[in-house]
Amino acid sequence: MGLTDLFKKAFMGATDEENRKNKARMREIFNSSVANGDDYKLIYCHMENYTNAVLVQVTRHSNFIVGYKEGEVIVIPVDSQLTEYGDAMIFNKANESFTKTSLGFCFVGNKDVSLQFVPMTYEPGITAGARHSVSITQSSAEVAEFKNFFKKGLQ
C-alpha cells in the first residue's frame, strides 16, 4: 500500500482498490438477490443505534445496500465486510410503503417493518466506528440524489 493509499484509507475510509472492489461486491450481492438488479441505482447506508444503560453503553452498527428506482426501494442488510447478507426487503406502493428524510436520516417502511439509515459519503479509517462500516466512498452528488429521491417519496 503506497503513501497515497494510506492517506485515502486514513482520511477517506477506502483506497481506490477497496472502493472499486466493494462497489462491485455490492452490485453482485444486489443482483443475486433482486431480479433485474441492474435497473436500480445503489447506495451504501449505515446506521448506529445507541443504548445507554446505567453500567454499560452499547452501540449497534447496521449496514445496508439500498437499491432504488422510480416507485420502489429495496434494502439488503449486510455485514461490514460484505461477506454475509440478509434477505432483500421490498418497499413500494403495492405494500403501502413510504420514504422520508429528516435531519440527514432516511426512513423507509410499511406496516411490517421500518428502517432508518444514513447514506454515507465516507467513513474516515482513523475513527473508532470505521471497522463497523463498509470501506467505500460515495460522492456528495450520489448521496444528494438519493436523499432527493427519498424526499419525493414513492410515486
Side-chain angles (χ1 to χ4, degrees), residues 1-20 121-127 130 134-137:
M1 188 181 295
L3 188 57
T4 302
D5 285 337
L6 286 173
F7 177 79
K8 284 183 178 181
K9 181 69 174 176
F11 295 102
M12 298 300 290
T15 65
D16 290 341
E17 181 67 14
E18 286 175 319
N19 192 45
R20 186 191 61 72
T121 50
Y122 65 92
E123 175 72 38
I126 59 175
T127 64
V134 174
S135 294
I136 198 165
T137 58

Side-chain angles (χ1 to χ4, degrees), residues 78-121:
V78 295
D79 70 343
S80 63
Q81 300 302 307
L82 297 174
T83 55
E84 297 180 21
Y85 55 95
D87 294 333
M89 294 174 271
I90 300 169
F91 301 91
N92 54 37
K93 285 292 185 187
N95 62 19
E96 301 175 16
S97 297
F98 68 89
T99 63
K100 67 179 184 174
T101 62
S102 178
L103 303 172
F105 294 96
C106 293
F107 302 87
V108 64
N110 57 34
K111 62 183 176 9
D112 297 322
V113 65
S114 181
L115 299 170
Q116 170 185 331
F117 38 71
V118 177
M120 304 292 291
T121 50

Side-chain angles (χ1 to χ4, degrees), residues 14-152:
T15 65
D16 290 341
E17 181 67 14
E18 286 175 319
N19 192 45
R20 186 191 61 72
K21 283 183 179 178
N22 285 338
K23 283 187 175 184
R25 179 66 180 140
M26 283 175 45
R27 177 55 70 186
E28 179 185 330
I29 290 168
F30 193 83
N31 288 358
S32 72
S33 301
V34 177
N36 301 313
D38 285 329
D39 293 347
Y40 296 79
K41 293 181 180 183
L42 297 186
I43 195 152
Y44 163 69
C45 295
H46 182 81
M47 190 63 210
E48 294 177 357
N49 291 322
Y50 301 99
T51 303
N52 196 0
V54 175
L55 297 174
V56 65
Q57 180 178 344
V58 177
T59 304
R60 188 174 137 240
H61 297 269
S62 302
N63 298 289
F64 305 97
I65 299 170
V66 181
Y68 64 102
K69 68 177 185 177
E70 195 66 37
E72 190 163 78
V73 173
I74 298 181
V75 180
I76 301 174
V78 295
D79 70 343
S80 63
Q81 300 302 307
L82 297 174
T83 55
E84 297 180 21
Y85 55 95
D87 294 333
M89 294 174 271
I90 300 169
F91 301 91
N92 54 37
K93 285 292 185 187
N95 62 19
E96 301 175 16
S97 297
F98 68 89
T99 63
K100 67 179 184 174
T101 62
S102 178
L103 303 172
F105 294 96
C106 293
F107 302 87
V108 64
N110 57 34
K111 62 183 176 9
D112 297 322
V113 65
S114 181
L115 299 170
Q116 170 185 331
F117 38 71
V118 177
M120 304 292 291
T121 50
Y122 65 92
E123 175 72 38
I126 59 175
T127 64
R131 70 173 190 246
H132 303 290
S133 299
V134 174
S135 294
I136 198 165
T137 58
Q138 299 174 130
S139 72
S140 296
E142 288 174 296
V143 170
E145 179 182 353
F146 178 74
K147 286 182 176 180
N148 286 335
F149 176 89
F150 264 61
K151 281 181 193 173
K152 188 170 65 170

